[in-house]
Structures are given as structure tokens and as C-alpha cells.
Amino acid sequence: MLVRHLSPHRQPTTGHRTVAQTASHSEPRYGNRPTMKDVAARAGVGLKTVSRVVNGEAGVTPDTERRVQEAIEALGFRRNDSARVLRKGRTASIGLVLEDLADPFYGPLNRAVEEVARAHGALLINGSSAEDPEREQELVLALCARRVDGLIVIPAGDDHRYLEPEIAAGVATVFVDRPAGKIDADMVFSDNFGGARDGVAHLIAGGHRRIGFVGDQPRIHTATERLRGYHAAMSDGGLDVDDAWVSLGVTEAERVRAAVETLLDGPSPVTAIFAGNNRVTVTAVRVLAEREQPVALVGFDDIELADLLGITVIAQDSAALGRTAAETLFRRLDGANDAPSQKVLPTRLIARGSGEIPPA
């Protein structure tokens, strides 16, 4: 049998390309999008005719339009909106900066903003600040660099003067859940103070006199407003607050667990706990489930399965927050130039059992 040895510098001439030859001679897989020139050449028409068809303008015969549409379909052509942006100065897109996209509270808010944007023919671009003011600023300015028409921001920082040039340049901006820092802007909040006051008053009405408060970091506006509501309810009830009953800090489970256990095991144990947000509530539920002695609990923010677990909450409507903010934003984009507004949306108490446990 004849065995033919191939030189390492030669490839067999079988009429088929090798992988190396194919890679070196083929067109790049990405980046070569068909253009209107390609469509015009395939359809045998001028660029202006293709432009008219793409933009739905008059002045093209049915037969010519059919040929252009067939060329568009065959080539997979998509209109490049970047040029239209440069001409019109609008991108039909808005930016949304959240604290954490993984937080269940922000899911309905995000969806509501997206639905309003969609109704206005706009695209939503979002990102998470992770409660980091520097990251918030970085995200906001990155969105502005991409020429979004407007911004909805749940702020992590307390100084937003970096946004003044963008707002002056026409970028409509609405702040949600927390106030803007050191600038005038439209804002949409839940009634954090009133909701917390109602929740603590509910516990007092149930006979509790030693009520603990576990909340988020004191630099966060919602945390301080809810703490203020707690103090107001205790004062209204003629009750003094022991400093040991209040714990503010990060909402990681380890910190919250330690805080709840201290409230329950200290020299003056509480008989009820007001949880300052949904993350605190979840950890508090786990700690209380390990205890033989029942302890009353009211949480700010509803949580998943709270109805099945019987958790009493102060519910805020995050979807309404997002919808109101987005509608405010598009009203600005449509030309409204009245003074910045502050809208406060109500909360509601949902009694499910945990907040109705009497003191031991």
C-alpha cells in the first residue's frame, strides 16, 4: 500500500478548505451589519428610496417598496437609530438606577417604570448602585454619556450636584424612595414616617410597652424616617424608649440576628419588634421561629409568603412608586416646566397575626 507523506508546509489539495484556511479567508462573524447601501444595491434603487421605505415615507411605488422590503429581509437589515438620535436629539431611552435589582421590593417598581416607558415608545436601561454613592454617580453619568433622555434614580448618596450640568442640558431627572441631595428635583416617596408610626401604634394598641426597632443604616433617608415614626408613636403612647431597644446598621442576616437576639435576651427584653425593612423582617422571622415564647412582629415592606406565614406588615406600593416616577419623568420630557414636586404615596397596615400577638 502506498502511503503518501505530506510536507508540513503543504496542505492536501482535495478541493475543500481546511479549518485554518476557512478561518483566514472567511468574513468576520460579527460587526459587519448590512447597510442601506447594501439594500439599495440589492434592490437596484437609490439610497433615498431605501430611506423612504425604512422610515415609512411616501413617494415610493408599491413594486419598488416590495423590492426594497425583500432586500431588507434577505440581508437582515436593521435601521440604525444612532443617526436619528444625532438628528433629533432624543434617544427614546431612559435610565433607572436602583439600589439592588435582586431586592424583591424593586421588581414591581422596575416593571412599572418599564411599562410606562414602553407606552411612550422608550427603552429602559437599568443598573444597581449597591448602596455605593460613587457607583451611583458612575452609573448615572454613564447613562448620561449614552444620551438617555431622562433618569429615575433611587439615590445612594446625599450630594447630587454632579447632575446639575446634565439637568441643565435637558436630562429630565426624578428621584424615588429617597430625596435628592443639594439639588432641586422631582421626588416620589412612600410615607415612611407615617407607616412606621402606624405600625408601632398598632403594637401599642395590642398592649405592648417594650417595643424594639431594628432598622437599616442611619445615613439612609428611609431608615431615619421610619425610626422617627417609631419614636413618634412611642411618644404618642406616653412611652419612654430605652436606647437598648433601637438597633440600626447593615441589613445582612448576621448583624440583624445578633440585634434581634440582644433585644430578646437583654436585661429588659422587648415583647414586640418593629422591623425597618423587608430584609430585616425575613431574618427576624427566622430568629423568632426558633423561640418558644411568641414575640409580636410588624415589618415595614411586604415580603414573599407573608400571607401564608401570618406576618403583619406596613405595605408600600412599589409599583405605584415606579409608575408615578415614570409618569412624572415623561411629563417633563413632554415639556412641563413647573417647579419640582414632591409626591408622598400612602402605606397601609396589613394585619395577619404576628403583630396581634399579646405581650407575654
Side-chain angles (χ1 to χ4, degrees):
M1 181 175 67
L2 176 63
V3 179
R4 184 178 181 185
H5 295 280
L6 298 176
S7 165
H9 302 293
R10 294 181 60 191
Q11 298 291 338
T13 55
T14 60
H16 299 287
R17 287 183 176 181
T18 66
V19 173
Q21 288 172 323
T22 301
S24 62
H25 288 87
S26 63
E27 292 295 326
R29 185 176 178 185
Y30 303 109
N32 289 336
R33 295 180 178 178
T35 66
M36 283 204 295
K37 285 184 179 180
D38 298 324
V39 174
R42 187 179 183 96
V45 299
L47 271 175
K48 183 61 177 176
T49 299
V50 175
S51 177
R52 284 174 176 160
V53 173
V54 167
N55 293 296
E57 299 173 0
V60 182
T61 66
D63 180 64
T64 300
E65 182 177 359
R66 177 185 56 77
R67 297 204 325 266
V68 172
Q69 291 290 4
E70 288 175 351
I72 287 172
E73 184 175 347
L75 293 171
F77 171 78
R78 295 290 181 271
R79 183 176 66 184
N80 181 2
D81 283 335
S82 296
R84 300 176 77 240
V85 167
L86 293 174
R87 291 197 303 271
K88 298 186 177 183
R90 293 280 292 270
T91 62
S93 64
I94 64 171
L96 171 62
V97 177
L98 303 164
E99 174 200 346
D100 182 0
L101 285 168
D103 189 326
F105 172 77
Y106 293 117
L109 188 154
N110 184 85
R111 176 61 63 86
V113 172
E114 186 175 21
E115 289 301 318
V116 174
R118 186 167 179 260
H120 285 81
L123 177 70
L124 175 66
I125 307 170
N126 56 30
S128 301
S129 69
E131 284 290 4
D132 182 344
E134 290 185 5
R135 183 168 174 176
E136 172 211 300
Q137 181 173 340
E138 179 182 300
L139 272 171
V140 166
L141 294 180
L143 289 166
C144 291
R146 283 159 178 74
R147 300 189 64 176
V148 295
D149 300 320
L151 291 165
I152 295 175
V153 181
I154 297 174
D158 57 6
D159 187 347
H160 295 94
R161 287 175 293 183
Y162 70 85
L163 259 172
E164 287 179 335
E166 310 299 335
I167 294 173
V171 180
T173 305
V174 179
F175 288 81
V176 184
D177 195 40
R178 307 166 187 175
K182 301 180 181 179
I183 64 170
D184 290 327
D186 291 305
M187 306 179 200
V188 181
F189 310 123
S190 290
D191 186 4
N192 293 286
F193 169 80
R197 182 180 57 188
D198 291 345
V200 176
H202 182 71
L203 291 169
I204 295 172
H208 294 278
R209 299 295 178 264
R210 299 194 305 276
I211 303 169
F213 179 95
V214 183
D216 210 331
Q217 301 175 75
R219 67 177 178 80
I220 296 174
H221 172 78
T222 51
T224 58
E225 281 296 287
R226 293 168 194 176
L227 178 60
R228 195 166 67 86
Y230 162 82
H231 279 291
M234 295 292 279
S235 177
D236 291 344
L239 302 175
D240 294 327
V241 175
D242 189 324
D243 290 342
W245 295 349
V246 175
S247 177
L248 298 179
V250 296
T251 56
E252 274 78 2
E254 183 177 358
R255 201 285 300 182
V256 173
R257 171 176 283 276
V260 172
E261 290 176 345
T262 298
L263 288 172
L264 298 176
D265 298 331
S268 179
V270 300
T271 63
I273 292 174
F274 186 83
N277 68 20
N278 55 356
R279 295 172 183 170
V280 174
T281 302
V282 169
T283 300
V285 168
R286 291 193 172 114
V287 175
L288 297 181
E290 300 166 0
R291 301 267 169 162
E292 292 184 5
Q293 183 68 45
V295 176
L297 172 69
V298 174
F300 201 110
D301 292 337
D302 213 348
I303 60 172
E304 189 175 6
L305 302 181
D307 54 339
L308 297 179
L309 295 172
I311 308 302
T312 297
V313 299
I314 299 297
Q316 53 179 331
D317 192 340
S318 60
L321 281 172
R323 184 169 53 254
T324 303
E327 288 171 350
T328 301
L329 184 73
F330 280 100
R331 191 175 71 85
R332 292 297 184 194
L333 291 174
D334 288 340
N337 59 1
D338 49 306
S341 65
Q342 291 191 25
K343 299 181 176 71
V344 180
L345 305 188
T347 59
R348 63 191 180 103
L349 172 71
I350 305 176
R352 297 187 176 120
S354 71
E356 293 67 55
I357 298 172

